[in-house]
Amino acid sequence: MSRLSYQKHSYATTTRLVKSLFKRIRLVCILLLASLLLSGCVDYDLGINVNNANYGKFVQHIKLGEKLTSFSGDAVYEWLDSIERRARELDGKAKRISEEEIIVSIPFSNGRELQRKYNTFFNSKNNPKSRSAKQAESESELPKIESNLFLKQSNFLLLVRNQLIYDLDLRSLGLISSKGNVLTNTGSILDLEFSLKTPWGASSIEKTEDSIEPQKNNKQLAWKLKPGQLNHIEAVFWLPSPVGIGTLFIVLFVVLGFYLRYSFMPDPKIQFSATSSEQ
């Protein structure tokens, strides 16, 4: 290779490296700028409130930033509409604060109903019959999230031990995109929280590497969910058992009846003998 050819080859190689470096720097700058512009774009608070053994509700409060809706277009609004529709299908209520903000509450009467309604609500995408073609197309543009809640209940006479196990796969939220173009890391624009509130409080169980350490506020535990990761939550809480307490009252009532009958009233055998002799 001649000296002139070598110089041309070296110059071309250097030019390609410089262009590649500038492209990387430009991409980093775009990601940082998008992160700053989109910070705090989505506030998603999800909470399970257990009032007693026979009543509770899970509540969602979703607030979207205007910058995010400008990137995602009609798909985000269709998603909020689908949340409102699914809540009504499960006998819930939806309050639309604005086009970008909604509060949804769905009641349940026992642990089994909580598990059924919760999983039905968050996995309704798997049932295409319940959606129109337009809704299915709009929701398909949003990241798919796997959600599974399991509630194990154990009866201990007067008390019921409830073990809540919640697995939420948010790996699809690792990056946010608009029409296939990656914009930014969602960890900087999504504020996701899951909370559990019970009458006597709850305690968290850390068992796996995906478990999240909660924050405790009186009788409520709150977990900050991590976009782009598997989230595993386990907690235990106790509730009074209506069946056990009702059974105890019946037993006490029967015992009290026997006590009053044989302590303050004459023996039925003696009373029956006295009546027979008089005749």
Side-chain angles (χ1 to χ4, degrees):
M1 181 183 294
S2 66
R3 185 176 180 180
L4 182 60
S5 299
Y6 177 77
Q7 288 178 343
K8 288 182 177 179
H9 177 73
S10 177
Y11 177 78
T13 303
T14 304
T15 303
R16 284 197 301 269
L17 290 174
V18 171
K19 288 182 177 179
S20 177
L21 179 61
F22 272 110
K23 284 182 179 180
R24 292 185 181 183
I25 294 174
R26 183 184 176 188
L27 177 61
V28 171
C29 291
I30 291 173
L31 291 177
L32 289 175
L33 180 62
S35 178
L36 291 173
L37 291 175
L38 294 174
S39 59
C41 272
V42 180
D43 291 324
Y44 195 133
D45 296 330
L46 172 61
I48 297 178
N49 302 327
V50 182
N51 296 60
N52 52 60
N54 295 318
Y55 180 75
K57 60 183 178 181
F58 61 93
V59 181
Q60 295 180 84
H61 184 190
I62 305 169
K63 186 176 182 180
L64 307 178
E66 293 182 1
K67 296 183 180 67
L68 178 67
T69 55
S70 65
F71 278 113
S72 302
D74 295 336
V76 171
Y77 295 113
E78 286 290 342
W79 175 58
L80 292 180
D81 291 339
S82 72
I83 288 177
E84 196 171 357
R85 184 187 69 256
R86 281 178 279 160
R88 289 194 296 266
E89 291 175 354
L90 295 172
D91 301 322
K93 297 180 179 179
K95 183 179 181 182
R96 200 68 176 261
I97 308 298
S98 65
E99 284 190 338
E100 294 82 21
E101 186 175 3
I102 188 172
I103 298 176
V104 172
S105 63
I106 299 176
F108 56 88
S109 57
N110 53 56
R112 186 175 298 177
E113 189 175 33
L114 164 63
Q115 180 177 310
R116 178 183 63 81
K117 284 190 173 183
Y118 195 97
N119 290 328
T120 299
F121 183 89
F122 286 100
N123 295 312
S124 63
K125 285 186 178 182
N126 298 329
N127 184 14
K129 295 181 179 180
S130 64
R131 298 173 294 153
S132 66
K134 182 180 178 181
Q135 292 164 348
E137 182 180 356
S138 298
E139 291 182 10
S140 66
E141 298 178 12
L142 298 172
K144 295 185 182 299
I145 296 173
E146 296 294 332
S147 170
N148 184 51
L149 182 140
F150 175 71
L151 189 65
K152 180 181 179 182
Q153 295 182 305
S154 304
N155 204 324
F156 291 86
L157 296 180
L158 302 181
L159 298 173
V160 177
R161 182 181 185 270
N162 298 267
Q163 182 178 358
L164 183 143
I165 303 172
Y166 186 33
D167 288 300
L168 186 62
D169 187 352
L170 297 179
R171 288 177 294 183
S172 61
L173 296 181
L175 295 172
I176 186 170
S177 62
S178 177
K179 298 180 181 179
N181 299 317
V182 175
L183 296 177
T184 184
N185 189 330
T186 52
S188 61
I189 69 170
L190 297 178
D191 185 10
L192 310 177
E193 183 176 289
F194 174 82
S195 63
L196 174 65
K197 186 177 181 180
T198 62
W200 297 342
S203 57
S204 176
I205 303 176
E206 307 297 327
K207 287 189 174 182
T208 69
E209 60 181 9
D210 301 319
S211 299
I212 310 170
E213 183 69 27
Q215 294 180 345
K216 190 170 185 178
N217 182 16
N218 293 328
K219 298 177 181 180
Q220 177 175 290
L221 293 179
W223 292 263
K224 284 287 184 182
L225 301 177
K226 301 175 182 178
Q229 299 183 29
L230 289 170
N231 293 263
H232 179 80
I233 292 172
E234 283 195 49
V236 171
F237 61 95
W238 294 80
L239 293 174
S241 171
V243 175
I245 294 175
T247 302
L248 177 63
F249 272 110
I250 292 174
V251 171
L252 291 176
F253 183 77
V254 172
V255 171
L256 180 62
F258 273 103
Y259 174 76
L260 293 176
R261 177 68 182 85
Y262 290 100
S263 298
F264 297 97
M265 298 181 67
D267 190 333
K269 295 181 180 179
I270 299 175
Q271 187 178 8
F272 180 75
S273 300
T275 304
S276 300
S277 60
E278 287 177 1
Q279 292 178 352

